[in-house]
Amino acid sequence: MTKAGPIRVGIGGWTYEPWRGTFYPEGLAKARELEYAASRLTAIEVNSTFYSRQSPATFAKWRKAAPDGFAYALKAGRACTQRRDLSQSGESVARFLEQGIVELEDRLGPILWQLPHTKKFEAEQIGAFLSLLPSAQDGVPLRHAIEPRHESFDDPAFFELARKAGVAVVFADSPRYPCFEEQTGAFTYARLQDTREDAATGYDDAALDAWADKARGWAADGREVFVFLIAGAKARNPAAAEALIPRLE
């Protein structure tokens, strides 16, 4: 029997004022928010890497703040993905990967390549873009996930390109964008984007139970699973993650 893969659950970023006094204890120094979040969750999707470069020292600091088994998923820089012709992203991709992400060492999780919602599927261009994503950086293995947000990507040709490249297609539960169920990589990357303000834990118990079942199904064949509570009622996302984690144990 195949042993189930690990399931990591987290949120997007760790700095958000409404989380102070709800997720973070009153009086906790802002400098300790990451350490606290990493002690309560098992992954974090880093958003700041989408907007600006970080230093190797910053990645090393993030590594030290997290316990063994924790993973940081990194949102790739917008210079890589927010362009008309993705096949011309080679230099930007290289700059992103060379900024010092390897300092995360074993805390380095997948890299998320999120496309604009206006980006339509063009097989030649997307295939060329996927070929720009290397399997390693400075000897450190890399894993890649792509999140298209246009319905034209619901195409067997796209899934086959991703599968050949070993890139996971993101499962995005969103009220705004299409959701792709196809599993194309060696791991699963899910972004749950529909938490509600009127539920203390973002999703009600039945929905959380259903998401736990879904995650266990993905992990059943031994694949590693990453589940992030993103967007929606953002103030509820840490509570949703903390409610989901024990359901997976």
Side-chain angles (χ1 to χ4, degrees):
M1 180 180 294
T2 301
K3 182 181 178 181
I7 304 172
R8 293 184 171 83
V9 179
I11 55 179
W14 58 87
T15 302
Y16 184 54
E17 194 61 34
W19 292 344
R20 298 189 62 78
T22 54
F23 177 48
Y24 296 121
E26 293 284 359
L28 180 73
K30 285 195 174 184
R32 295 193 59 200
E33 287 180 348
L34 174 56
E35 179 185 356
Y36 182 86
S39 73
R40 302 293 293 265
L41 310 171
T42 49
I44 282 178
E45 183 185 281
V46 182
N47 299 317
S48 59
T49 49
F50 176 75
Y51 297 103
S52 61
R53 288 172 60 85
Q54 309 295 320
S55 69
T58 295
F59 289 109
K61 181 178 69 174
W62 293 348
R63 182 191 74 238
K64 294 173 184 175
D68 290 345
F70 188 88
Y72 292 99
L74 305 180
K75 194 171 181 181
R78 53 186 168 181
C80 304
T81 56
Q82 309 291 303
R83 57 171 66 219
R84 193 173 77 171
D85 188 352
L86 292 173
S87 69
Q88 301 302 309
S89 298
E91 183 177 344
S92 296
V93 169
R95 281 174 53 80
F96 177 82
L97 298 177
E98 291 167 356
Q99 67 183 301
I101 66 173
V102 296
E103 293 296 330
L104 288 172
E105 298 179 1
D106 61 350
R107 271 70 162 178
L108 177 60
I111 299 170
L112 171 64
W113 306 88
Q114 184 188 73
L115 306 185
H117 71 278
T118 54
K119 189 65 181 175
K120 297 179 180 180
F121 175 56
E122 299 175 50
E124 185 174 350
Q125 183 182 146
I126 296 301
F129 175 72
L130 294 175
S131 72
L132 298 174
L133 310 182
S135 60
Q137 177 68 34
D138 298 332
V140 176
L142 299 180
R143 292 175 288 177
H144 304 284
I146 187 168
E147 183 182 15
R149 296 189 291 172
H150 192 277
E151 59 271 13
S152 61
F153 281 84
D154 190 8
D155 186 321
F158 166 60
F159 300 130
E160 185 59 24
L161 286 172
R163 189 171 288 110
K164 286 182 177 179
V167 173
V169 174
V170 171
F171 175 95
D173 173 57
S174 167
R176 298 178 60 192
Y177 306 117
C179 184
F180 304 111
E181 293 264 4
E182 197 83 11
Q183 296 293 305
T184 60
F187 65 96
T188 294
Y189 196 118
R191 305 180 84 235
L192 308 187
Q193 304 170 60
D194 200 21
T195 49
R196 305 194 323 267
E197 186 63 39
D198 62 355
T201 53
Y203 291 97
D204 61 26
D205 286 342
L208 287 168
D209 290 343
W211 285 125
D213 288 343
K214 187 86 168 174
R216 281 193 293 266
W218 286 324
D221 64 356
R223 69 176 52 235
E224 189 170 3
V225 176
F226 297 86
V227 179
F228 294 103
L229 285 300
I230 303 288
K234 188 173 179 178
R236 300 297 193 193
N237 289 345
E242 289 192 293
L244 184 57
I245 288 172
R247 285 172 160 82
L248 298 167
E249 294 173 352

